[in-house]
Amino acid sequence: MKHIKNLVLSISLLIPMVLSAQNGTITVSGSIKDNKSQSALAYVSVVLKTETDSAFVSGTITNDEGLFVLTGVKPGKYVLEASYVGFKPLKQPLFVGSLSKFLEVAPITLEEDVETLSEVVVTGQQDAVSESLDKKTFTVADNVSQAGGSVLQAMQNLPGVTVQDGKVLLRGNDRVAVLIDGKQTALTGFGSQSGLDNLPASAIEKIEIINNPSSKYDANGNAGIINIIYKKDKQEGFNGKVGVSSGLGALWVKNENLPTIRPQYQATPKINPSISLNYKKNKVNTFLQADNLYTHTLNKNEFVTRTYDDGTVIYNQTKRNRDTNLFSGKTGMDWSIDDANSLTFSGFLSSEKILDRGDEPFFEGDLSNRYRLWQFLEDELKTTVMATAAYQHKYKQPGRLLNIGFNYTYHRENEQYFFDNILPESTGRDAFKLISDEHVADFNLDYVQPLQYGRFETGLKFRRRTIPTNMQFFPGLNSPIDSAAGGWANYGELIPAVYGNYVFENEKYEVEAGVRVEHVKIDYKVNPDHPTYKTSGYNYTQPFPNVRLAYKLNENNKLSVFFNRRVDRPNEVDIRIFPKYDDAEIIKVGNPGLRPQFTTNYELGHKGSWNTGYLYSSVYHKQMDATITRIGSIVPGSVLIYNIFQNAGKSYNTGFEILLSQSLDKWATINFSVNGYQNIIEAFTVTNLYPEVNVFTAARQEILSGNVKLNSVFHLAKQVDIQLSGTYLAPDIIPQGTIGTRFSLDLGIKKSMQQGRGELYANATDLLNTMRVKREIQGDGFKYIATDYYETQVVRVGYSYKF
């Protein structure tokens, strides 16, 4: 009840993100023929008028093949009129839906003064947030309070989104598939989301959150899909945008260091220059975006008290000062060969250099005696290169498309760690070096056929992915490193898939149904000298269906029911056999025996809209089988904790989501969201193999959790906007324990100048410096409480100019 009261109380205290949804316009097309001869009629006058008052909307004439096209039509009810000398004029009602960008009218025949054509009702659809209820779209430029930071930071106050341990969670679940311009990439992770904190928000146009993807998307990501769309302009001539932001973080110390270690970062500098250029002439459009994000960050500052069943108490701190320089650039060309054919070529480069300098002192519980100091330097370089080619063919029938694409990604992880293991009686220098090269080739073919009452989509995809890795350990004096667990390992993934998706709509009902069939083959070849793990792998062929049923109560209210089945395959790092020593006594290890997690999703959603806002609400239920989670265990006689991925049996997530947006005349917009859910992890027993065989049993875990976010944007005089955003995160379940309450408040101000071309902004994230993460973990033979006082407060200023 306490947590429920906190949720309710926070509604009146907090202030998050403007949900922008664009209904778009529809292209209506069709053909007109002679009723007797069935020959095409050229130069027929076609006019579209509103049903209510016969106001003119659009008009055209048919071409030599009897085809007509009306563009820019908004969803609604109309009357279509066709007239031609010698033929009787025709009028017929036309319903233009909102779920498809293209609508094909059934073939029209004109009669030579015989009889009136019987009534024809035509429907169409468009993939729009406000209509299909399966996607939410957020414009990054609207998020003033997070401008100048990373994509991960920009997402912190989006409805239903939680940021935890450098990851983004949707509705409390971190199994999120992240796409860039609709494609999976090594930059953000193929198996699950990662790397979002390394993408500059200045390069991004908008972010799409898709909770219930259709079969045209890959089946992974049970929590949903986040699609990050890069900026791209297609105005005629030369144009672009330049900008720069700078800031300071960690303005004051949240928690003082333990004795005898190096100082933690304070007043950390940030700078992010960016440029976006575009040149379009005739049939060719070229583009370039480039950003350089340089930051100092107090990346981690965690204080841990570990208590063992034998009475041993250990108190330690993990402090990580991080320097990061990330360059990213995207360039390419769109070539409109003719009206029916186009080609796009693009390339992407990202180079991220990370230097971490860290300290881990370990004390007896009363801080009277330091028995160990672990100091480390991490030197890491991540390089990503992507090349994409896409071909599109437009048939004469508008909306009928064939897309063929090829995408190649190369990602190198070059990581070196150096440790000073300082004990009372000796000091040792340990090190390791990891090289991981990822190669991914994707080929896809997609076809769209507009229908009289909707559309049909089908396609295929083929992926080949290989990741050879090599880990070398260099143990020093009295080294705790398991050097025998190094060597090589090669990951191989082969995934062919086919899908079909059908969409239907009339004035009252919508139906979307599809299925994706994936065959997955995973091979993980392991160094035969590894002391624990051996070569492993798995394969399966599974269908992944999706269904959406919708009923339009009236023009402003709609109900939708969703069902889909999805999968989360272990990523390569989840099964990686090498122990990771970024914490001296809580060691992360992969598990080659890890298997996929399958999820069944159900959701009921409603959206009601009015002239100045909307209300979206939904209830949902997820059932996970073979839940993937980390399990911490100890080996008898040791204080080392090994966190190893396991399949933990069944788990459930049941909850509700509410989004309310209201404009207050022209001076303010208020957005409110609440997401409440019950997390359940059933009791389970697993066997950890590394470093020794041990069995772990967990009791059933259950908690009522959620988050509340409130955002206000005020439009003042002289083109000044102020944004105030607040976020409250309730306690939640994590593997073997709970994570505590979190709260933050963000403030931003923006002023437009120079006839709208220039923009000056300033903001502060976690304005009151209240964000900290507290975890309580219970394992067999131990428990620990950890509180991370990492850097969350950042003050930035920035300027951008369009030309």
Side-chain angles (χ1 to χ4, degrees):
M1 290 300 297
K2 179 181 178 182
H3 302 326
I4 296 175
K5 290 179 180 178
N6 287 338
L7 277 171
V8 174
L9 178 62
S10 63
I11 293 175
S12 62
L13 298 177
L14 302 179
I15 307 190
M17 182 81 194
V18 178
L19 174 65
S20 65
Q22 297 181 353
N23 292 327
T25 56
I26 315 302
T27 297
V28 178
S29 65
S31 62
I32 299 180
K33 299 179 180 180
D34 184 324
N35 182 52
K36 290 183 178 180
S37 65
Q38 292 297 305
S39 59
L41 293 177
Y43 309 111
V44 176
S45 174
V46 181
V47 175
L48 192 66
K49 298 180 179 180
T50 59
E51 181 188 63
T52 54
D53 56 8
S54 297
F56 176 84
V57 175
S58 181
T60 187
I61 60 173
T62 59
N63 63 13
D64 292 340
E65 297 175 338
L67 302 176
F68 69 87
V69 177
L70 300 170
T71 60
V73 180
K74 295 182 178 180
K77 295 180 181 180
Y78 299 94
V79 174
L80 185 69
E81 299 182 359
S83 59
Y84 189 57
V85 177
F87 290 80
K88 188 172 182 177
L90 176 144
K91 294 183 180 181
Q92 67 181 46
L94 177 66
F95 170 66
V96 178
S98 56
L99 298 183
S100 181
K101 295 179 181 179
F102 300 92
L103 185 154
E104 181 192 12
V105 177
I108 296 173
T109 57
L110 296 184
E111 302 181 13
E112 294 180 296
D113 298 324
V114 179
E115 61 182 87
T116 304
L117 186 67
S118 60
E119 179 182 292
V120 178
V121 179
V122 183
T123 60
Q125 306 152 349
Q126 177 181 354
D127 291 328
V129 176
S130 61
E131 299 299 331
S132 57
L133 308 188
D134 63 345
K135 180 171 65 176
K136 308 176 187 74
T137 303
F138 304 89
T139 302
V140 175
D142 292 337
N143 191 3
V144 183
S145 64
Q146 297 284 350
S150 70
V151 172
L152 185 69
Q153 293 164 343
M155 296 176 67
Q156 288 184 120
N157 53 9
L158 299 187
V161 174
T162 306
V163 175
Q164 181 176 302
D165 294 331
K167 292 184 177 182
V168 59
L169 285 69
L170 291 179
R171 296 174 173 176
N173 191 321
D174 68 350
R175 293 290 159 174
V176 182
V178 178
L179 313 180
I180 294 180
D181 291 333
K183 302 177 181 63
Q184 287 183 293
T185 73
L187 190 66
T188 52
F190 283 92
S192 60
Q193 57 88 12
S194 62
L196 290 174
D197 206 22
N198 304 323
L199 286 177
S202 58
I204 307 305
E205 177 68 26
K206 58 186 177 179
I207 298 171
E208 297 176 339
I209 296 179
I210 309 169
N211 291 112
N212 293 281
S214 71
S215 61
K216 66 181 179 181
Y217 294 97
D218 288 350
N220 59 299
N222 84 70
I225 291 172
I226 292 176
N227 186 23
I228 299 169
I229 300 175
Y230 264 73
K231 292 178 179 177
K232 187 176 181 181
D233 202 345
K234 288 191 176 182
Q235 297 181 45
E236 195 70 29
F238 180 72
N239 54 83
K241 184 177 181 179
V242 294
V244 63
S245 70
S246 62
L248 293 175
L251 299 181
W252 67 75
V253 175
K254 287 186 184 180
N255 205 46
E256 294 289 347
N257 284 341
L258 294 182
T260 71
I261 69 170
R262 294 171 293 186
Q264 58 184 265
Y265 268 177
Q266 283 186 260
T268 53
K270 332 276 182 185
I271 186 166
N272 176 207
S274 63
I275 187 170
S276 176
L277 302 175
N278 196 87
Y279 180 70
K280 185 171 188 276
K281 185 175 182 180
N282 299 326
K283 296 183 177 182
V284 177
N285 179 72
T286 57
F287 54 89
L288 168 70
Q289 296 100 31
D291 284 79
N292 194 85
L293 179 63
Y294 176 78
T295 67
H296 285 193
T297 311
L298 181 58
N299 181 256
K300 188 172 186 178
N301 193 27
E302 187 172 61
F303 293 77
V304 180
T305 301
R306 278 180 284 149
T307 305
Y308 295 84
D309 288 357
D310 64 2
T312 301
V313 178
I314 297 174
Y315 190 43
N316 77 279
Q317 175 188 0
T318 302
K319 182 217 69 188
R320 185 186 299 144
N321 292 332
R322 171 168 291 185
D323 300 346
T324 304
N325 192 85
L326 171 66
F327 170 81
S328 63
K330 183 177 181 181
T331 186
M333 177 186 71
D334 302 313
W335 178 27
S336 298
I337 303 171
D338 52 37
D339 292 341
N341 299 283
S342 62
L343 277 171
T344 295
F345 302 98
S346 66
F348 179 86
L349 170 66
S350 171
S351 178
E352 180 184 14
K353 178 70 172 178
I354 298 174
L355 286 175
D356 279 345
R357 296 174 178 87
D359 298 77
E360 275 196 312
F362 297 84
F363 288 85
E364 292 182 0
D366 59 1
L367 295 181
S368 62
N369 179 42
R370 191 191 79 186
Y371 76 89
R372 183 183 194 178
L373 174 61
W374 182 277
Q375 292 187 322
F376 62 86
L377 169 66
E378 176 192 9
D379 185 349
E380 185 173 9
L381 178 63
K382 296 180 180 180
T383 305
T384 303
V385 178
M386 290 188 293
T388 300
Y391 166 76
Q392 182 178 87
H393 176 71
K394 297 179 180 179
Y395 294 84
K396 291 182 179 179
Q397 175 190 2
R400 184 183 174 195
L401 299 173
L402 174 67
N403 292 296
I404 300 174
F406 178 78
N407 186 70
Y408 171 75
T409 300
Y410 168 74
H411 178 76
R412 163 162 280 203
E413 182 182 352
N414 186 346
E415 182 179 355
Q416 298 179 82
Y417 262 85
F418 303 94
F419 306 93
D420 285 328
N421 186 26
I422 304 170
L423 302 170
E425 64 279 351
S426 65
T427 298
R429 166 62 66 96
D430 301 273
F432 72 74
K433 180 178 177 63
L434 171 70
I435 294 288
S436 172
D437 288 331
E438 184 168 13
H439 305 267
V440 188
D442 283 339
F443 171 81
N444 62 279
L445 184 150
D446 301 278
Y447 175 76
V448 181
Q449 174 68 57
L451 303 173
Q452 183 177 359
Y453 296 96
R455 70 179 184 274
F456 177 70
E457 305 165 322
T458 187
L460 58 88
K461 183 174 181 177
F462 182 85
R463 168 174 294 163
R464 176 63 176 166
R465 182 177 176 220
T466 59
I467 310 176
T469 57
N470 192 289
M471 173 75 85
Q472 300 178 39
F473 288 112
F474 305 96
L477 182 65
N478 295 323
S479 174
I481 287 180
D482 182 4
S483 58
W488 60 266
N490 294 331
Y491 175 91
E493 178 181 288
L494 186 68
I495 307 179
V498 296
Y499 76 89
N501 194 53
Y502 171 70
V503 184
F504 167 87
E505 179 186 17
N506 63 26
E507 291 188 47
K508 282 294 183 182
Y509 298 98
E510 298 169 7
V511 177
E512 181 172 1
V515 65
R516 187 180 189 91
V517 178
E518 291 186 348
H519 173 75
V520 175
K521 182 179 180 182
I522 305 296
D523 291 313
Y524 191 56
K525 295 181 171 58
V526 174
N527 169 18
D529 297 327
H530 194 280
T532 302
Y533 294 125
K534 305 301 177 186
T535 293
S536 182
Y538 61 87
N539 65 83
Y540 65 82
T541 301
Q542 291 276 344
F544 298 97
N546 68 278
V547 177
R548 182 178 68 85
L549 306 175
Y551 177 69
K552 303 172 186 177
L553 301 171
N554 52 47
E555 291 185 359
N556 297 320
N557 290 273
K558 180 189 290 187
L559 287 171
S560 283
V561 177
F562 299 89
F563 166 81
N564 61 70
R565 183 172 183 264
R566 301 188 65 76
V567 64
D568 287 285
R569 298 180 293 273
N571 201 7
E572 185 270 336
V573 295
D574 299 341
I575 66 175
R576 188 176 286 180
I577 60 174
F578 314 123
K580 187 173 177 61
Y581 292 98
D582 53 356
D583 189 300
E585 297 189 359
I586 303 177
I587 300 167
K588 296 177 182 178
V589 188
N591 177 12
L594 203 61
R595 293 297 178 260
Q597 166 184 300
F598 293 93
T599 302
T600 304
N601 303 301
Y602 306 89
E603 183 166 347
L604 171 64
H606 168 263
K607 182 174 183 180
S609 58
W610 51 93
N611 290 337
T612 58
Y614 64 86
L615 174 66
Y616 168 79
S617 59
S618 71
V619 292
Y620 57 86
H621 175 73
K622 295 178 182 288
Q623 176 179 317
M624 283 73 74
D625 294 310
T627 305
I628 296 175
T629 187
R630 279 195 185 272
I631 300 299
S633 62
I634 60 173
V635 176
S638 171
V639 297
L640 299 182
I641 298 173
Y642 292 90
N643 273 332
I644 302 174
F645 275 113
Q646 291 283 5
N647 293 109
K650 292 184 179 296
S651 61
Y652 308 91
N653 185 306
T654 304
F656 67 92
E657 185 175 40
I658 297 173
L659 281 73
L660 173 65
S661 179
Q662 178 65 54
S663 295
L664 306 177
D665 200 10
K666 296 181 180 181
W667 62 273
T669 302
I670 305 296
N671 291 270
F672 165 78
S673 73
V674 57
N675 178 36
Y677 53 86
Q678 183 183 46
N679 260 347
I680 298 175
I681 303 176
E682 297 290 1
F684 63 91
T685 298
V686 296
T687 300
N688 290 329
L689 301 181
Y690 185 87
E692 298 178 11
V693 176
N694 63 92
V695 178
F696 176 81
T697 299
R700 186 176 190 264
Q701 286 182 273
E702 180 178 349
I703 196 170
L704 179 65
S705 185
N707 55 74
V708 178
K709 303 184 179 184
L710 200 61
N711 179 76
S712 56
V713 179
F714 302 97
H715 308 291
L716 307 182
K718 298 183 179 180
Q719 295 182 299
V720 174
D721 290 343
I722 295 179
Q723 181 183 24
L724 185 63
S725 304
T727 300
Y728 169 83
L729 308 176
D732 205 349
I733 294 175
I734 55 176
Q736 298 174 265
T738 59
I739 185 170
T741 300
R742 289 143 289 162
F743 170 77
S744 67
L745 188 68
D746 303 332
L747 176 67
I749 183 169
K750 176 178 69 174
K751 176 175 174 54
S752 295
M753 55 185 66
Q754 298 164 303
Q755 291 79 47
R757 293 182 176 271
E759 186 176 278
L760 182 66
Y761 64 85
N763 58 44
T765 61
D766 194 15
L767 181 65
L768 305 179
N769 212 23
T770 55
M771 180 65 75
R772 57 209 63 194
V773 179
K774 183 177 182 179
R775 301 175 179 83
E776 297 187 18
I777 304 296
Q778 179 67 59
D780 282 347
F782 72 94
K783 66 178 181 180
Y784 68 82
I785 299 175
T787 304
D788 194 351
Y789 299 90
Y790 68 104
E791 175 186 314
T792 55
Q793 185 187 63
V794 180
V795 177
R796 293 186 179 89
V797 294
Y799 171 78
S800 64
Y801 181 77
K802 298 178 183 178
F803 56 89

